[in-house]
């Protein structure tokens, strides 16, 4: 089997969950680690700009890509070590994230069940430190392995060196564009500790007799299926913006004017505000913007109403950003990676 597949002038429509049409000069799919190294040494890699694409569920292509889109399709799940109360399990970057969560839940390994049904690949999970329903993947990552692109040298980073924070990591900052993640190891609990404090989850779990990792997964799947638009029906990339983190003084200055404004106190004393709420207050819920729109239940999600270009979606995002800036003097930062 050929481990490197090269396609020229490739259509990306089915490779991004916004389902915007865009072409890549080259689309390269690589299914083993040695071949990643081999490819990086090639003229094709050296002579072109490179972008790594996993499942395309957090990217927006605003035009054609005149370079190489590299898709790591490295598969495999293996048990690295096992103790009395934990396992370390490693997944190839090309494994589907939710299939991996399902595999762990079936083994009753606890930790990432709250992250059920997040689209994309395991290789992307450390990039923005995926999170949902009170859990962030940083708490369960053991090691991230990959290759530096220019130097073609392998790296292995422990979680503490990945500079994880809310929707951020070293892979979105210092190492952005410089690495290919090939495998990620997760440290999970054989005796699960449940995280059920998120109000929606707590409520949904009332429908189950016991709290188990399997039931948490089921509950999360129910909540997400009812709330979030399915990219197969309405193109989207989940939350378009991050929830803004402001100083205590900033949030306190808004409170007298907006007493119902949701706030979450962070460990470092700063305050996380709800981007959905801010956007909603600006009258953006379910509002169309050319062929794009904000979702009717969750205005933080921008959807493709059909046939929208990436540029059109980007313009819509900028209009939302402007509204929130004018109304609240808060700058919303895009979570989606603009290409
Ligand atoms: P891509 O979109 O392909 O890439 C994302 C970024 O990671 C890009 O910058 C890319 O270059 C980089 N990257 C990807 N793979 C690699 C690699 N192997 N090596 C180096 N860099 C790489 N996110 C959450 O955190 N929580 C949620 O609850 C959530 N819900 C969502 C719901 C929906 C309906 C959708 C569509 C998206 C949601 N997301 C959520 C966003 C998205 O699922 C995650 O960001 C996911 O991790 C992206 O994975 P991907 O493989 O599709 O990455
Ligand atoms: N809200 C409104 N109007 C609405 C919807 C929500 O005002 O129409 C307010 C409500 O106050 C609500 C609050 O927004 O309580 C929070 O809403 P939600 O629980 O949906 O969470 P979120 O902060 O909007 C975040 C993540 C999601 C993740 C959920 C669940 C970010 C940027 N987004 O959304 O992640 O699934 O929490 O934990 O942090 C993603 O990153 O792509 C993503 C979907």
């Amino acid at each position: 089997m050929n481990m490197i597949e090269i396609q020229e002038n490739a259509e990306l429509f089915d490779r991004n969950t916004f389902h915007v049409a865009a072409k890549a000069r080259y689309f390269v799919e690589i299914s083993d680690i040695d071949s990643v190294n081999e490819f990086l040494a090639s003229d094709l890699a050296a002579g072109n700009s490179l972008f790594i694409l996993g499942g395309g569920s957090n990217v927006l292509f605003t035009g054609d890509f005149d370079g190489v889109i590299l898709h790591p399709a490295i598969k495999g799940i293996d048990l690295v070590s096992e103790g009395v109360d934990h396992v370390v399990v490693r997944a190839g970057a090309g494994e589907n994230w939710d299939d991996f969560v399902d595999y762990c839940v079936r083994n009753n390994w606890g930790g990432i069940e709250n992250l059920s049904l997040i689209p994309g690949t395991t290789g992307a999970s450390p990039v923005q430190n995926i999170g949902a329903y009170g859990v962030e993947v940083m708490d369960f990552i053991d090691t991230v392995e990959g290759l530096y692109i220019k130097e073609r040298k392998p790296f292995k980073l422990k979680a503490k060196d990945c500079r994880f924070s809310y929707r951020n990591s070293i892979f979105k900052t210092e190492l952005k564009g410089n690495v290919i993640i090939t495998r990620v190891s997760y440290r999970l609990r054989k005796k699960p500790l449940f995280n059920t404090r998120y109000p929606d989850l707590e409520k949904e779990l009332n429908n189950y007799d016991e709290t188990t990792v399997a039931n948490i997964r089921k509950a999360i799947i129910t909540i997400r299926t009812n709330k979030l638009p399915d990219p197969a029906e309405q193109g989207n990339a989940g939350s378009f913006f991050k929830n803004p983190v402001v100083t205590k003084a900033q949030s306190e200055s808004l409170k007298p004017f907006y007493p119902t404004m949701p706030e979450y106190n962070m460990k470092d004393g700063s305050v996380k505000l709800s981007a959905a709420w801010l956007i909603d207050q600006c009258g953006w819920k379910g509002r169309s913007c050319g062929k794009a729109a904000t979702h009717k239940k969750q205005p933080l999600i921008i959807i493709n109403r059909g046939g929208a270009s990436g540029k059109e979606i980007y313009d819509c995002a900028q209009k939302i950003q402007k509204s929130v800036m004018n109304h609240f003097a808060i700058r919303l930062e895009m979570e989606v990676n603009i290409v």
Side-chain angles (χ1 to χ4, degrees), residues 51-52 54-58 119 121 124 128 130-131 167 181 224 236 238 337:
F51 182 77
I52 318 293
S57 61
N58 208 21
T121 56
Q128 74 156 5
I130 56 171
R167 293 296 190 274
I181 295 166
R224 294 184 67 104
N236 76 88
N337 301 279

Side-chain angles (χ1 to χ4, degrees), residues 182-254:
T182 52
R183 288 190 293 209
V184 184
S185 309
Y186 305 83
R187 189 184 175 91
L188 303 172
R189 298 187 188 106
K190 282 162 76 177
K191 294 171 191 157
L193 274 180
F194 306 118
N195 188 330
T196 59
R197 279 161 297 166
Y198 206 88
D200 290 358
L201 177 59
E202 212 170 20
K203 201 166 128 208
E204 181 60 30
L205 281 171
N206 287 331
N207 299 324
Y208 295 83
D209 293 337
E210 353 159 45
T211 303
T212 60
V213 281
N215 283 346
I216 292 178
R217 174 168 166 79
K218 280 187 198 151
I220 296 278
I221 290 174
T222 305
I223 298 167
R224 294 184 67 104
T225 313
N226 288 333
K227 200 167 92 172
L228 297 169
D230 178 356
E233 285 155 25
Q234 285 179 313
N236 76 88
S239 303
F240 200 95
F241 302 98
K242 295 183 189 180
N243 285 324
V245 179
V246 301
T247 61
K248 186 89 192 151
Q250 237 179 319
S251 79
E252 268 170 8
S253 70
L254 288 167

Side-chain angles (χ1 to χ4, degrees), residues 57-335:
S57 61
N58 208 21
V59 294
L60 177 64
F61 292 108
T62 54
D64 293 340
F65 189 76
D66 187 21
V68 173
I69 299 243
L70 198 162
H71 175 63
I74 300 152
K75 291 280 163 73
I77 298 177
D78 58 297
L79 190 62
V80 178
S81 66
E82 183 166 4
V84 185
D85 52 12
H86 80 274
V87 291
V88 175
V89 56
R90 180 167 66 180
E95 288 289 341
N96 173 276
W97 171 256
D98 192 52
D99 290 348
F100 176 67
V101 175
D102 187 47
Y103 176 84
C104 296
V105 166
R106 280 171 196 277
N107 280 288
N108 200 35
W109 296 332
I112 54 175
E113 58 280 2
N114 293 44
L115 305 179
S116 290
L117 217 62
I118 295 181
T121 56
T122 56
S125 67
V127 175
Q128 74 156 5
N129 175 24
I130 56 171
Y133 301 96
V135 169
E136 288 183 309
V137 78
M138 61 183 263
D139 292 329
F140 299 97
I141 285 182
D142 184 78
T143 316
V144 180
E145 289 171 64
L147 288 161
Y148 292 111
I149 291 171
K150 276 196 211 102
E151 299 81 359
R152 284 192 283 126
K153 285 220 173 88
F155 73 83
K156 221 177 200 186
L157 284 177
K158 281 296 197 187
K160 67 171 173 33
D161 299 318
C162 294
R163 309 228 176 127
F164 288 124
S165 61
Y166 166 64
R167 293 296 190 274
N168 206 359
S169 75
I170 197 166
F171 309 107
K172 281 199 92 172
T173 52
E174 286 99 310
L175 296 183
K176 186 176 175 168
N178 280 335
V179 293
I180 299 177
I181 295 166
T182 52
R183 288 190 293 209
V184 184
S185 309
Y186 305 83
R187 189 184 175 91
L188 303 172
R189 298 187 188 106
K190 282 162 76 177
K191 294 171 191 157
L193 274 180
F194 306 118
N195 188 330
T196 59
R197 279 161 297 166
Y198 206 88
D200 290 358
L201 177 59
E202 212 170 20
K203 201 166 128 208
E204 181 60 30
L205 281 171
N206 287 331
N207 299 324
Y208 295 83
D209 293 337
E210 353 159 45
T211 303
T212 60
V213 281
N215 283 346
I216 292 178
R217 174 168 166 79
K218 280 187 198 151
I220 296 278
I221 290 174
T222 305
I223 298 167
R224 294 184 67 104
T225 313
N226 288 333
K227 200 167 92 172
L228 297 169
D230 178 356
E233 285 155 25
Q234 285 179 313
N236 76 88
S239 303
F240 200 95
F241 302 98
K242 295 183 189 180
N243 285 324
V245 179
V246 301
T247 61
K248 186 89 192 151
Q250 237 179 319
S251 79
E252 268 170 8
S253 70
L254 288 167
K255 208 70 195 172
F257 303 100
Y258 306 100
T260 60
M261 179 177 80
E263 291 176 315
Y264 311 91
N265 291 314
M266 307 280 280
K267 281 186 197 129
D268 63 1
S270 56
V271 181
K272 196 198 269 176
L273 304 179
S274 159
W277 186 88
L278 296 167
I279 296 170
D280 199 350
Q281 292 296 304
C282 294
W284 269 103
K285 194 160 165 166
R287 192 162 128 195
S288 296
C289 181
K291 290 188 190 126
T294 50
H295 189 243
K296 59 181 189 307
K297 288 191 204 160
Q298 228 311 354
L300 185 51
I301 299 176
I302 301 182
I303 56 169
N304 180 350
R305 297 167 60 225
S309 67
K311 175 84 178 43
E312 227 170 336
I313 293 171
Y314 185 70
D315 288 347
C316 178
Q318 282 191 313
K319 282 189 186 142
I320 296 170
Q321 246 175 347
K322 253 187 207 151
S323 285
V324 171
M325 177 52 85
N326 291 342
H327 225 89
F328 295 100
I330 289 172
R331 186 178 153 72
L332 291 184
E333 194 185 323
M334 293 184 189
E335 180 195 293

